[in-house]
Amino acid sequence: MPAVTTSTAPRPTACPGLARIVAALDGGICRIKLPCGELSAEQACALADAAGRYASGVVDVTNRANLQLRGVRSGDESALTQALIDAGLGPDGRSDASGSTDQTAQSSQSATSLAADDVRNVMVSPAAGRDPQASIDTTPLAHDILERLRTDTRLHALSAKFALLLDGGERLAMLDHPHDIWLAAMPSAHAEAPLFAFGLAGCPPVAGDGAASCDVTRATLAAVEPQHAGMLVAALLHTFLDLAEPDMTRMRDLLGVRSVDELMRHVESRIDFPLVCHESIRAWRRAPADASLRLGAHRQRTDDLYHVGGQAPLGRLNAASLRGLAALARELGNATLRMTPWQSVLLPDVPSRHVTAAIDALSALGLACRSGDPLTRLIACTGSTGCAKGLADTKADAMQLALRLPAGVDVHLSGCPRSCAAAHCAPHTLLAVAPGRYDLYQRDALPLQSGFGCCVARHMTIDEAAAHLSRQPWSPIDA
Ligand code: SF4
């Protein structure tokens, strides 16, 4: 048995949370973590009310399918947090779910609950349970893991950035964001139900991805039967806490000092079921995903129901558009919204007779529903209007670039090297160096290349960048 450090103190974090309102140039930031990206229409209205009453009304969709309120007013932080908990947006869901009227019991529950807020980082496809290509619905497993994260207080020592991916094999899936732990459904030759393959500090391997075969961050370690997946995740999380030094926040930090074999031996000492480990599992690749399915209408697994989606321009909504989305979900869908890791919004369960009306209504709210729209190919961080580190107004510059963006080109604008808007390496990145000036970086053929790629031009204006991108030969990376 390897030596253990049993680190259980919470990792310090500067990330915003439900009760950790982080100061920025434009006021406080409050982040609301959504289980499986889901928000009821009622919660969306409560959130819109809170955004108007206690903050600036700006609501950002994050690249982890969560929401973030900006411009929280000084002195209103506690009232905002309480309003969000009252709307069932805390880790416990509805704060009055127990029916308790005991104020002491409720505040004690809130304290425990808020300690669990940071670790609610489980991503699934926004079409989980609905995607016709998926081999399993990952939402029950996601809720099982979220409940373990909420109730096992030792797990509250994980970093607020420690994140898990559950991949059910959907066509609509984000596979480029590295996760500390990933599980992906893979067909089993011996059983009707798929197995869950898993890996650490990376992403599931994808068929046709030339880099996957030699990339350790896409290596499949083993697989488990679906009924063991929740216990496997618990064992992996505890293994991290057993072996990681207190200053290590991510799985890649631990893998820098301990071998995968050492970690797996530790995991196996914590479980009483077998890991399935043979060559066919290591060679397995999941089918490619299609991010364009987040836009427009697409048939779900159930006949006559569609999910209909639109891109929030640069990931930004406001209180009024959020209320409009809530009304749409009630009128045309199933009264819920799904946020996506592309910073877009999905209306699930729209009957075919309402599809055209849903697309028209999303467009009227300012969301882009066609993949040809340049706003679906641009991401930008908060930039200098809201962030002290920003060297340029990335949001305004991105809107200017949208007017001239060549077809098929995806661009990320970042106000500084921290790259808050992109958890992956975008095909092209404009990195701000001064107001209205950017260095242009281009990714090469390695999908998981770190950083922004190679710098191909310096100190460009937005017009110069647009002209440069228009002159580039079409690249398969941009497909
Ligand atoms: S990337 Fe830099 S400028 Fe942009 S929001 Fe993050 S820290 Fe601020």
Short mmCIF file of all heavy atoms in Angstrom, two decimals, residues 218-269:
data_model
loop_
_atom_site.label_atom_id
_atom_site.label_comp_id
_atom_site.label_asym_id
_atom_site.label_seq_id
_atom_site.Cartn_x
_atom_site.Cartn_y
_atom_site.Cartn_z
N ARG A 218 -5.34 10.94 -23.45
CA ARG A 218 -6.53 10.27 -23.98
C ARG A 218 -6.45 8.76 -23.78
O ARG A 218 -7.10 8.00 -24.46
CB ARG A 218 -6.72 10.61 -25.46
CG ARG A 218 -7.19 12.05 -25.69
CD ARG A 218 -7.81 12.22 -27.05
NE ARG A 218 -8.11 13.60 -27.36
CZ ARG A 218 -9.34 14.13 -27.33
NH1 ARG A 218 -10.37 13.41 -26.99
NH2 ARG A 218 -9.53 15.40 -27.65
N ALA A 219 -5.61 8.32 -22.83
CA ALA A 219 -5.45 6.88 -22.60
C ALA A 219 -6.59 6.33 -21.74
O ALA A 219 -6.94 6.92 -20.72
CB ALA A 219 -4.11 6.62 -21.92
N THR A 220 -7.17 5.21 -22.19
CA THR A 220 -8.17 4.51 -21.40
C THR A 220 -7.45 3.55 -20.46
O THR A 220 -6.64 2.74 -20.90
CB THR A 220 -9.11 3.72 -22.32
OG1 THR A 220 -9.70 4.62 -23.25
CG2 THR A 220 -10.19 3.02 -21.53
N LEU A 221 -7.73 3.64 -19.17
CA LEU A 221 -7.00 2.81 -18.20
C LEU A 221 -7.65 1.45 -18.01
O LEU A 221 -6.97 0.44 -17.92
CB LEU A 221 -6.94 3.53 -16.85
CG LEU A 221 -6.21 4.89 -16.87
CD1 LEU A 221 -6.26 5.52 -15.49
CD2 LEU A 221 -4.78 4.71 -17.33
N ALA A 222 -8.98 1.44 -17.93
CA ALA A 222 -9.72 0.20 -17.69
C ALA A 222 -11.20 0.53 -17.85
O ALA A 222 -11.55 1.63 -18.29
CB ALA A 222 -9.42 -0.34 -16.30
N ALA A 223 -12.06 -0.42 -17.49
CA ALA A 223 -13.51 -0.18 -17.57
C ALA A 223 -14.19 -0.86 -16.38
O ALA A 223 -13.59 -1.72 -15.73
CB ALA A 223 -14.06 -0.70 -18.89
N VAL A 224 -15.42 -0.41 -16.11
CA VAL A 224 -16.22 -1.04 -15.05
C VAL A 224 -17.63 -1.23 -15.55
O VAL A 224 -18.07 -0.56 -16.49
CB VAL A 224 -16.27 -0.18 -13.75
CG1 VAL A 224 -14.94 -0.18 -13.05
CG2 VAL A 224 -16.78 1.22 -14.04
N GLU A 225 -18.36 -2.17 -14.91
CA GLU A 225 -19.77 -2.33 -15.23
C GLU A 225 -20.52 -1.12 -14.68
O GLU A 225 -20.10 -0.52 -13.68
CB GLU A 225 -20.28 -3.63 -14.62
CG GLU A 225 -19.61 -4.82 -15.28
CD GLU A 225 -20.12 -6.15 -14.77
OE1 GLU A 225 -21.04 -6.16 -13.93
OE2 GLU A 225 -19.58 -7.17 -15.23
N PRO A 226 -21.64 -0.76 -15.34
CA PRO A 226 -22.30 0.51 -14.99
C PRO A 226 -22.71 0.60 -13.52
O PRO A 226 -22.65 1.69 -12.93
CB PRO A 226 -23.50 0.58 -15.93
CG PRO A 226 -23.53 -0.68 -16.70
CD PRO A 226 -22.25 -1.40 -16.50
N GLN A 227 -23.10 -0.54 -12.92
CA GLN A 227 -23.54 -0.47 -11.51
C GLN A 227 -22.38 -0.16 -10.56
O GLN A 227 -22.61 0.16 -9.39
CB GLN A 227 -24.24 -1.78 -11.09
CG GLN A 227 -23.34 -3.00 -11.01
CD GLN A 227 -23.24 -3.75 -12.32
OE1 GLN A 227 -23.45 -3.18 -13.39
NE2 GLN A 227 -22.91 -5.04 -12.26
N HIS A 228 -21.14 -0.25 -11.04
CA HIS A 228 -19.98 0.04 -10.20
C HIS A 228 -19.40 1.43 -10.44
O HIS A 228 -18.44 1.84 -9.76
CB HIS A 228 -18.88 -1.01 -10.43
CG HIS A 228 -19.28 -2.39 -10.03
ND1 HIS A 228 -18.94 -3.52 -10.76
CD2 HIS A 228 -20.04 -2.83 -8.98
CE1 HIS A 228 -19.44 -4.58 -10.17
NE2 HIS A 228 -20.10 -4.20 -9.09
N ALA A 229 -19.99 2.17 -11.40
CA ALA A 229 -19.35 3.42 -11.82
C ALA A 229 -19.30 4.46 -10.68
O ALA A 229 -18.28 5.14 -10.50
CB ALA A 229 -20.08 3.98 -13.03
N GLY A 230 -20.39 4.58 -9.92
CA GLY A 230 -20.40 5.56 -8.83
C GLY A 230 -19.35 5.23 -7.78
O GLY A 230 -18.65 6.13 -7.27
N MET A 231 -19.23 3.93 -7.45
CA MET A 231 -18.24 3.52 -6.43
C MET A 231 -16.82 3.70 -6.96
O MET A 231 -15.91 4.06 -6.21
CB MET A 231 -18.48 2.06 -6.02
CG MET A 231 -19.74 1.89 -5.19
SD MET A 231 -20.05 0.17 -4.74
CE MET A 231 -20.78 -0.47 -6.24
N LEU A 232 -16.63 3.47 -8.26
CA LEU A 232 -15.31 3.70 -8.85
C LEU A 232 -14.93 5.18 -8.71
O LEU A 232 -13.80 5.50 -8.31
CB LEU A 232 -15.30 3.32 -10.33
CG LEU A 232 -14.02 3.76 -11.05
CD1 LEU A 232 -12.84 2.88 -10.66
CD2 LEU A 232 -14.19 3.80 -12.56
N VAL A 233 -15.87 6.06 -9.03
CA VAL A 233 -15.56 7.50 -8.93
C VAL A 233 -15.21 7.86 -7.49
O VAL A 233 -14.23 8.58 -7.24
CB VAL A 233 -16.76 8.34 -9.45
CG1 VAL A 233 -16.58 9.80 -9.08
CG2 VAL A 233 -16.89 8.19 -10.97
N ALA A 234 -15.98 7.34 -6.54
CA ALA A 234 -15.67 7.62 -5.13
C ALA A 234 -14.26 7.14 -4.79
O ALA A 234 -13.49 7.85 -4.11
CB ALA A 234 -16.70 6.95 -4.22
N ALA A 235 -13.89 5.94 -5.26
CA ALA A 235 -12.55 5.40 -4.98
C ALA A 235 -11.47 6.28 -5.62
O ALA A 235 -10.41 6.51 -5.02
CB ALA A 235 -12.45 3.97 -5.49
N LEU A 236 -11.72 6.75 -6.83
CA LEU A 236 -10.74 7.62 -7.50
C LEU A 236 -10.58 8.95 -6.75
O LEU A 236 -9.46 9.46 -6.59
CB LEU A 236 -11.17 7.87 -8.95
CG LEU A 236 -10.99 6.70 -9.92
CD1 LEU A 236 -11.80 6.92 -11.20
CD2 LEU A 236 -9.52 6.52 -10.27
N LEU A 237 -11.71 9.51 -6.31
CA LEU A 237 -11.64 10.79 -5.58
C LEU A 237 -10.88 10.62 -4.26
O LEU A 237 -10.03 11.45 -3.90
CB LEU A 237 -13.05 11.33 -5.32
CG LEU A 237 -13.86 11.72 -6.57
CD1 LEU A 237 -15.29 12.06 -6.20
CD2 LEU A 237 -13.21 12.89 -7.30
N HIS A 238 -11.18 9.54 -3.54
CA HIS A 238 -10.48 9.31 -2.27
C HIS A 238 -9.01 8.98 -2.51
O HIS A 238 -8.15 9.35 -1.70
CB HIS A 238 -11.18 8.22 -1.46
CG HIS A 238 -12.38 8.74 -0.73
ND1 HIS A 238 -12.27 9.55 0.38
CD2 HIS A 238 -13.70 8.61 -0.98
CE1 HIS A 238 -13.49 9.87 0.81
NE2 HIS A 238 -14.38 9.32 0.00
N THR A 239 -8.72 8.29 -3.60
CA THR A 239 -7.32 8.00 -3.92
C THR A 239 -6.56 9.31 -4.13
O THR A 239 -5.42 9.48 -3.64
CB THR A 239 -7.24 7.12 -5.18
OG1 THR A 239 -7.76 5.84 -4.85
CG2 THR A 239 -5.80 6.97 -5.68
N PHE A 240 -7.18 10.25 -4.84
CA PHE A 240 -6.53 11.55 -5.04
C PHE A 240 -6.25 12.19 -3.67
O PHE A 240 -5.14 12.66 -3.41
CB PHE A 240 -7.40 12.46 -5.90
CG PHE A 240 -6.82 13.84 -6.05
CD1 PHE A 240 -5.87 14.10 -7.04
CD2 PHE A 240 -7.18 14.89 -5.21
CE1 PHE A 240 -5.29 15.36 -7.17
CE2 PHE A 240 -6.62 16.14 -5.33
CZ PHE A 240 -5.67 16.37 -6.32
N LEU A 241 -7.25 12.21 -2.80
CA LEU A 241 -7.07 12.86 -1.49
C LEU A 241 -6.07 12.09 -0.63
O LEU A 241 -5.33 12.69 0.16
CB LEU A 241 -8.41 12.98 -0.77
CG LEU A 241 -9.39 13.96 -1.41
CD1 LEU A 241 -10.74 13.91 -0.70
CD2 LEU A 241 -8.84 15.39 -1.39
N ASP A 242 -6.00 10.76 -0.78
CA ASP A 242 -5.04 9.97 -0.01
C ASP A 242 -3.60 10.31 -0.41
O ASP A 242 -2.71 10.38 0.44
CB ASP A 242 -5.25 8.47 -0.27
CG ASP A 242 -6.50 7.92 0.40
OD1 ASP A 242 -7.04 8.59 1.29
OD2 ASP A 242 -6.94 6.82 -0.01
N LEU A 243 -3.39 10.49 -1.72
CA LEU A 243 -2.02 10.56 -2.22
C LEU A 243 -1.52 11.97 -2.54
O LEU A 243 -0.30 12.19 -2.59
CB LEU A 243 -1.88 9.70 -3.49
CG LEU A 243 -2.24 8.22 -3.34
CD1 LEU A 243 -2.03 7.49 -4.67
CD2 LEU A 243 -1.41 7.55 -2.25
N ALA A 244 -2.43 12.90 -2.80
CA ALA A 244 -2.00 14.24 -3.23
C ALA A 244 -1.52 15.08 -2.05
O ALA A 244 -2.11 15.03 -0.96
CB ALA A 244 -3.14 14.95 -3.94
N GLU A 245 -0.46 15.84 -2.28
CA GLU A 245 -0.02 16.82 -1.27
C GLU A 245 -1.07 17.93 -1.20
O GLU A 245 -1.79 18.17 -2.18
CB GLU A 245 1.34 17.41 -1.67
CG GLU A 245 2.47 16.40 -1.78
CD GLU A 245 2.82 15.78 -0.43
OE1 GLU A 245 2.56 16.42 0.61
OE2 GLU A 245 3.32 14.65 -0.41
N PRO A 246 -1.14 18.65 -0.08
CA PRO A 246 -2.18 19.69 0.06
C PRO A 246 -2.11 20.77 -1.01
O PRO A 246 -3.12 21.40 -1.32
CB PRO A 246 -1.91 20.26 1.45
CG PRO A 246 -1.23 19.16 2.19
CD PRO A 246 -0.42 18.41 1.18
N ASP A 247 -0.92 20.99 -1.59
CA ASP A 247 -0.84 22.04 -2.61
C ASP A 247 -1.15 21.52 -4.01
O ASP A 247 -1.08 22.28 -4.98
CB ASP A 247 0.55 22.70 -2.60
CG ASP A 247 1.66 21.70 -2.93
OD1 ASP A 247 1.40 20.49 -2.87
OD2 ASP A 247 2.78 22.15 -3.23
N MET A 248 -1.49 20.25 -4.14
CA MET A 248 -1.87 19.71 -5.46
C MET A 248 -3.38 19.84 -5.64
O MET A 248 -4.14 19.36 -4.80
CB MET A 248 -1.48 18.24 -5.56
CG MET A 248 0.01 18.00 -5.55
SD MET A 248 0.33 16.23 -5.63
CE MET A 248 2.12 16.23 -5.63
N THR A 249 -3.79 20.48 -6.72
CA THR A 249 -5.22 20.70 -6.91
C THR A 249 -5.82 19.81 -8.00
O THR A 249 -7.02 19.56 -7.99
CB THR A 249 -5.51 22.17 -7.26
OG1 THR A 249 -4.74 22.53 -8.41
CG2 THR A 249 -5.17 23.09 -6.11
N ARG A 250 -5.00 19.36 -8.95
CA ARG A 250 -5.54 18.63 -10.09
C ARG A 250 -4.90 17.25 -10.21
O ARG A 250 -3.77 17.03 -9.74
CB ARG A 250 -5.28 19.42 -11.39
CG ARG A 250 -5.75 20.87 -11.35
CD ARG A 250 -7.25 21.00 -11.11
NE ARG A 250 -8.06 20.35 -12.13
CZ ARG A 250 -8.51 20.95 -13.24
NH1 ARG A 250 -8.24 22.22 -13.44
NH2 ARG A 250 -9.24 20.30 -14.11
N MET A 251 -5.59 16.34 -10.87
CA MET A 251 -5.07 14.98 -11.06
C MET A 251 -3.72 15.00 -11.79
O MET A 251 -2.84 14.19 -11.52
CB MET A 251 -6.10 14.15 -11.83
CG MET A 251 -5.78 12.68 -11.90
SD MET A 251 -5.77 11.85 -10.28
CE MET A 251 -7.52 11.46 -10.07
N ARG A 252 -3.57 15.94 -12.73
CA ARG A 252 -2.30 15.99 -13.47
C ARG A 252 -1.13 16.31 -12.53
O ARG A 252 -0.01 15.88 -12.78
CB ARG A 252 -2.36 17.01 -14.61
CG ARG A 252 -2.58 18.44 -14.17
CD ARG A 252 -2.45 19.43 -15.33
NE ARG A 252 -2.70 20.78 -14.84
CZ ARG A 252 -3.84 21.44 -14.96
NH1 ARG A 252 -4.86 20.86 -15.57
NH2 ARG A 252 -3.98 22.65 -14.46
N ASP A 253 -1.40 17.05 -11.45
CA ASP A 253 -0.35 17.34 -10.47
C ASP A 253 0.10 16.04 -9.80
O ASP A 253 1.30 15.79 -9.62
CB ASP A 253 -0.84 18.31 -9.39
CG ASP A 253 -1.31 19.63 -9.96
OD1 ASP A 253 -0.80 20.03 -11.03
OD2 ASP A 253 -2.20 20.26 -9.35
N LEU A 254 -0.88 15.21 -9.43
CA LEU A 254 -0.56 13.95 -8.77
C LEU A 254 0.18 13.01 -9.73
O LEU A 254 1.15 12.35 -9.34
CB LEU A 254 -1.85 13.30 -8.25
CG LEU A 254 -1.69 11.99 -7.49
CD1 LEU A 254 -0.75 12.14 -6.30
CD2 LEU A 254 -3.05 11.46 -7.04
N LEU A 255 -0.28 12.98 -11.00
CA LEU A 255 0.38 12.11 -11.98
C LEU A 255 1.79 12.58 -12.30
O LEU A 255 2.59 11.84 -12.87
CB LEU A 255 -0.47 12.04 -13.27
CG LEU A 255 -1.77 11.24 -13.13
CD1 LEU A 255 -2.62 11.37 -14.38
CD2 LEU A 255 -1.49 9.77 -12.84
N GLY A 256 2.10 13.82 -11.92
CA GLY A 256 3.47 14.30 -12.10
C GLY A 256 4.44 13.68 -11.10
O GLY A 256 5.66 13.66 -11.34
N VAL A 257 3.92 13.15 -9.98
CA VAL A 257 4.82 12.58 -8.96
C VAL A 257 4.53 11.11 -8.64
O VAL A 257 5.30 10.47 -7.94
CB VAL A 257 4.76 13.41 -7.65
CG1 VAL A 257 5.27 14.82 -7.88
CG2 VAL A 257 3.36 13.43 -7.07
N ARG A 258 3.40 10.60 -9.12
CA ARG A 258 3.06 9.18 -8.89
C ARG A 258 2.70 8.55 -10.23
O ARG A 258 2.05 9.19 -11.07
CB ARG A 258 1.84 9.05 -7.96
CG ARG A 258 2.01 9.74 -6.62
CD ARG A 258 2.49 8.77 -5.59
NE ARG A 258 2.45 9.37 -4.26
CZ ARG A 258 2.51 8.67 -3.14
NH1 ARG A 258 2.60 7.35 -3.18
NH2 ARG A 258 2.49 9.27 -1.97
N SER A 259 3.05 7.29 -10.42
CA SER A 259 2.74 6.63 -11.68
C SER A 259 1.26 6.23 -11.71
O SER A 259 0.60 6.09 -10.67
CB SER A 259 3.60 5.38 -11.84
OG SER A 259 3.18 4.40 -10.91
N VAL A 260 0.75 6.04 -12.94
CA VAL A 260 -0.63 5.57 -13.10
C VAL A 260 -0.79 4.22 -12.41
O VAL A 260 -1.80 3.97 -11.74
CB VAL A 260 -0.98 5.46 -14.61
CG1 VAL A 260 -2.30 4.73 -14.81
CG2 VAL A 260 -1.05 6.85 -15.25
N ASP A 261 0.21 3.34 -12.55
CA ASP A 261 0.12 2.01 -11.92
C ASP A 261 -0.04 2.13 -10.40
O ASP A 261 -0.81 1.41 -9.77
CB ASP A 261 1.37 1.18 -12.24
CG ASP A 261 1.36 0.73 -13.69
OD1 ASP A 261 0.31 0.84 -14.34
OD2 ASP A 261 2.42 0.28 -14.17
N GLU A 262 0.71 3.06 -9.82
CA GLU A 262 0.64 3.27 -8.37
C GLU A 262 -0.77 3.73 -7.97
O GLU A 262 -1.36 3.25 -7.01
CB GLU A 262 1.67 4.33 -8.00
CG GLU A 262 2.11 4.31 -6.56
CD GLU A 262 3.19 5.36 -6.31
OE1 GLU A 262 3.74 5.92 -7.28
OE2 GLU A 262 3.44 5.62 -5.14
N LEU A 263 -1.32 4.68 -8.76
CA LEU A 263 -2.68 5.16 -8.47
C LEU A 263 -3.69 4.03 -8.59
O LEU A 263 -4.58 3.88 -7.74
CB LEU A 263 -3.05 6.28 -9.45
CG LEU A 263 -2.94 7.71 -8.93
CD1 LEU A 263 -1.49 8.09 -8.71
CD2 LEU A 263 -3.59 8.68 -9.91
N MET A 264 -3.54 3.22 -9.65
CA MET A 264 -4.52 2.16 -9.87
C MET A 264 -4.45 1.10 -8.78
O MET A 264 -5.48 0.55 -8.38
CB MET A 264 -4.33 1.55 -11.26
CG MET A 264 -4.64 2.52 -12.40
SD MET A 264 -6.26 3.29 -12.24
CE MET A 264 -7.30 1.89 -12.49
N ARG A 265 -3.24 0.81 -8.29
CA ARG A 265 -3.14 -0.15 -7.17
C ARG A 265 -3.87 0.40 -5.95
O ARG A 265 -4.55 -0.32 -5.24
CB ARG A 265 -1.66 -0.41 -6.83
CG ARG A 265 -0.98 -1.43 -7.74
CD ARG A 265 0.31 -1.97 -7.12
NE ARG A 265 1.30 -0.93 -6.91
CZ ARG A 265 2.14 -0.48 -7.84
NH1 ARG A 265 2.08 -0.99 -9.06
NH2 ARG A 265 3.01 0.47 -7.56
N HIS A 266 -3.74 1.69 -5.73
CA HIS A 266 -4.42 2.31 -4.59
C HIS A 266 -5.95 2.26 -4.77
O HIS A 266 -6.69 1.95 -3.83
CB HIS A 266 -3.95 3.75 -4.42
CG HIS A 266 -4.29 4.32 -3.09
ND1 HIS A 266 -3.42 4.29 -2.02
CD2 HIS A 266 -5.42 4.90 -2.64
CE1 HIS A 266 -3.99 4.85 -0.98
NE2 HIS A 266 -5.21 5.23 -1.32
N VAL A 267 -6.40 2.55 -5.99
CA VAL A 267 -7.84 2.49 -6.27
C VAL A 267 -8.35 1.07 -5.99
O VAL A 267 -9.39 0.88 -5.34
CB VAL A 267 -8.12 2.88 -7.74
CG1 VAL A 267 -9.56 2.54 -8.14
CG2 VAL A 267 -7.85 4.38 -7.96
N GLU A 268 -7.61 0.06 -6.47
CA GLU A 268 -8.07 -1.32 -6.32
C GLU A 268 -8.12 -1.75 -4.85
O GLU A 268 -8.92 -2.61 -4.47
CB GLU A 268 -7.19 -2.27 -7.14
CG GLU A 268 -7.47 -2.10 -8.63
CD GLU A 268 -6.70 -3.08 -9.50
OE1 GLU A 268 -5.47 -3.00 -9.53
OE2 GLU A 268 -7.36 -3.92 -10.13
N SER A 269 -7.29 -1.11 -4.02
CA SER A 269 -7.35 -1.43 -2.58
C SER A 269 -8.61 -0.84 -1.94
O SER A 269 -8.97 -1.20 -0.82
CB SER A 269 -6.11 -0.88 -1.88
OG SER A 269 -6.19 0.53 -1.74
#
